[in-house]
Amino acid sequence: RLLETYNSLTDKHLVGYFSNARIRRHLQKSGLISRSGRIIPEKEYRLNAMRRDHQRHVLGCLANAISHKILDMERHHQQEIKRRLEYSTRNERLQPVQVRLEPCWVEQVRRSLEEIIHVHCPHPPLTPRYHHHELCPLAAGEQAACSQW
């Protein structure tokens, strides 16, 4: 019981020890005494300690969030640099091909495409298939039928 109520800061035998400047600075930093030398009650000390711990926690979370944001921004920056480099490399690869295209080559490609389109598109025959420009018997019959009308 005697030790539960004992406070070393109020002990008259330790006044010389606690009057040392280095010890007083340590007690102030620890939050046990105020700047004026007043002894802080235990409830107030615990409340102040909880506030300090909470403040340290909040500052740690804030520092962590800032570092994550900086890393995220740096990652996005590196991705943008990589994207631009790939784009410029692709353009440099395509640029010489476009420069080498000569008008005669372009004309040859255009003509070959026209031929392909002409061959694959349906169109009526230009000349009869029969020799001596004779009409097919069915066509000749159709023509005679048309003339009768």
Side-chain angles (χ1 to χ4, degrees), residues 1-51:
R1 252 178 192 231
L2 187 61
L3 288 177
E4 288 178 6
T5 59
Y6 176 74
N7 187 351
S8 61
L9 294 173
T10 58
D11 190 346
K12 61 181 179 180
H13 302 291
L14 296 175
V15 171
Y17 175 76
F18 288 123
S19 63
N20 183 337
R22 187 175 58 84
I23 301 298
R24 288 185 80 76
R25 238 187 345 263
H26 172 70
L27 292 173
Q28 284 177 2
K29 284 184 180 180
S30 300
L32 293 170
I33 62 172
S34 67
R35 288 184 183 219
S36 63
R38 179 182 67 90
I39 298 173
I40 306 291
E42 188 176 350
K43 281 187 176 182
E44 188 179 338
Y45 170 77
R46 288 179 192 239
L47 184 64
N48 290 340
M50 287 182 358
R51 283 184 187 144

Side-chain angles (χ1 to χ4, degrees), residues 2-142:
L2 187 61
L3 288 177
E4 288 178 6
T5 59
Y6 176 74
N7 187 351
S8 61
L9 294 173
T10 58
D11 190 346
K12 61 181 179 180
H13 302 291
L14 296 175
V15 171
Y17 175 76
F18 288 123
S19 63
N20 183 337
R22 187 175 58 84
I23 301 298
R24 288 185 80 76
R25 238 187 345 263
H26 172 70
L27 292 173
Q28 284 177 2
K29 284 184 180 180
S30 300
L32 293 170
I33 62 172
S34 67
R35 288 184 183 219
S36 63
R38 179 182 67 90
I39 298 173
I40 306 291
E42 188 176 350
K43 281 187 176 182
E44 188 179 338
Y45 170 77
R46 288 179 192 239
L47 184 64
N48 290 340
M50 287 182 358
R51 283 184 187 144
R52 276 194 309 270
D53 289 344
H54 179 69
Q55 188 175 14
R56 282 189 200 120
H57 176 73
V58 169
L59 288 175
C61 289
L62 184 61
N64 204 8
I66 289 171
S67 65
H68 283 297
K69 182 65 175 178
I70 289 171
L71 290 173
D72 193 41
M73 289 170 61
E74 182 63 26
R75 185 173 45 83
H76 284 297
H77 181 69
Q78 292 296 331
Q79 287 175 346
E80 182 66 20
I81 289 172
K82 183 179 177 183
R83 187 186 65 79
R84 287 182 182 178
L85 182 64
E86 288 173 355
Y87 179 77
S88 66
T89 305
R90 190 174 349 132
N91 279 349
E92 287 175 4
R93 223 180 300 136
L94 294 177
Q95 191 81 15
V97 172
Q98 292 171 350
V99 169
R100 279 183 282 179
L101 294 179
E102 298 172 2
C104 63
W105 190 84
V106 172
E107 186 61 30
Q108 288 174 352
V109 170
R110 188 183 61 76
R111 269 191 252 124
S112 65
L113 285 175
E114 286 176 355
E115 289 173 10
I116 291 170
I117 291 171
H118 181 71
V119 168
H120 292 290
C121 288
H123 56 279
L126 299 175
T127 58
R129 292 184 186 189
Y130 299 100
H131 297 284
H132 310 292
H133 301 292
E134 298 175 8
L135 290 176
C136 169
L138 290 175
E142 286 176 8

